[in-house]
Amino acid sequence: KAGVTQTPRYLIKTRGQQVTLSCSPISGHRSVSWYQQTPGQGLQFLFEYFSETQRNKGNFPGRFSGRQFSNSRSEMNVSTLELGDSALYLCASSFGPTGGNQPQHFGDGTRLSIL
Amino acid sequence: DQQVKQNSPSLSVQEGRISILNCDYTNSMFDYFLWYKKYPAEGPTFLISISSIKDKNEDGRFTVFLNKSAKHLSLHIVPSQPGDSAVYFCAGGSNYKLTFGKGTLLTVNP
């Protein structure tokens, strides 16, 4: 069974640009969550989608947005990139809504570097 | 506001001994907790979870203990193996969202 797939694995951008990251969940999983991992802050929750609806959002500026398609694939977009956006962006999927003991399964992440 | 705290950035143990990783939380609304393990250049891997109505859950070498009155949970690994060397994250879950601690680097020495 294929795991969570994130593309691209590595990305280099410059300040002011925008970027789109992609996540394909495990087949049959309908919930997709996004996290930002930085050395100082650990994993921070960005947002979660279930059946194309965003159900929760973390404390990130509006430059961070996402969407989910009918096949459960998800994209995350960051506009007007800043140096501080350099991080590992992780996507996680679960079968049902994130809750109870539904473990989230993570992809290997996209390493975004801003120059 | 750090709702989940892992106060030990690192821990070193000998192979075969017990590893105890600790986690404190402040959010009383968490209704379940999870532990993840992360190797470099890979995403976190789910290890074990516990519902807030339980105080212990065991899976092979891994046991998670929850003390709700103290808002504290711990992960015990017995016996520890060199392959267990990784960063361990605890997370609290509620309202479709996981809140992670900053992680503890466990090193198991042969």
Side-chain angles (χ1 to χ4, degrees):
Chain A
K1 190 177 187 181
V4 177
T5 304
Q6 291 187 246
T7 56
R9 286 297 309 274
Y10 303 93
L11 203 49
I12 299 175
K13 291 284 188 179
T14 57
R15 282 181 298 173
Q17 287 187 309
Q18 75 163 21
V19 67
T20 299
L21 311 182
S22 179
C23 173
S24 293
I26 291 172
S27 178
H29 283 194
R30 295 166 63 193
S31 170
V32 174
S33 298
W34 288 90
Y35 296 86
Q36 181 195 65
Q37 185 185 15
T38 56
Q41 297 298 321
L43 277 83
Q44 292 189 287
F45 174 78
L46 280 155
F47 26 67
E48 191 252 0
Y49 288 88
F50 181 78
S51 293
E52 302 178 66
T53 300
Q54 184 184 94
R55 297 189 307 171
N56 205 341
K57 191 175 190 301
N59 296 322
F60 280 82
R63 300 185 296 107
F64 291 81
S65 63
R67 59 179 175 168
Q68 187 181 34
F69 302 95
S70 58
N71 62 357
S72 295
R73 192 177 70 85
S74 177
E75 288 182 346
M76 190 192 97
N77 186 76
V78 188
S79 62
T80 320
L81 286 165
E82 300 176 0
L83 292 177
D85 297 334
S86 294
L88 179 67
Y89 289 88
L90 290 160
C91 166
S93 75
S94 61
F95 178 73
T98 299
N101 281 330
Q102 288 269 356
Q104 294 184 343
H105 300 270
F106 283 81
D108 288 337
T110 293
R111 172 73 63 186
L112 175 63
S113 299
I114 311 301
L115 303 179
Chain B
D1 172 29
Q2 198 178 339
Q3 297 183 33
V4 178
K5 294 183 183 179
Q6 293 178 257
N7 292 318
S8 298
S10 63
L11 175 68
S12 183
V13 300
Q14 285 299 120
E15 181 179 6
R17 306 295 288 269
I18 184 172
S19 295
I20 300 177
L21 298 126
N22 293 303
C23 184
D24 296 300
Y25 64 96
T26 58
N27 187 344
S28 301
M29 300 304 292
F30 288 141
D31 49 21
Y32 60 101
F33 301 88
L34 305 94
W35 283 93
Y36 283 84
K37 176 171 74 173
K38 186 179 185 300
Y39 295 118
E42 294 183 12
T45 303
F46 169 73
L47 270 178
I48 191 168
S49 64
I50 187 168
S51 165
S52 62
I53 62 172
K54 301 256 176 107
D55 55 19
K56 178 182 175 182
N57 188 26
E58 191 172 354
D59 184 3
R61 296 186 298 115
F62 302 93
T63 303
V64 57
F65 295 92
L66 175 62
N67 182 333
K68 284 190 69 176
S69 61
K71 292 191 171 67
H72 177 84
L73 66 155
S74 61
L75 174 68
H76 293 209
I77 307 174
V78 183
S80 301
Q81 300 172 354
D84 296 329
S85 297
V87 176
Y88 288 78
F89 292 96
C90 70
S94 68
N95 196 25
Y96 315 121
K97 173 183 170 181
L98 287 182
T99 303
F100 284 83
K102 294 187 179 181
T104 296
L105 173 63
L106 172 66
T107 303
V108 180
N109 301 303

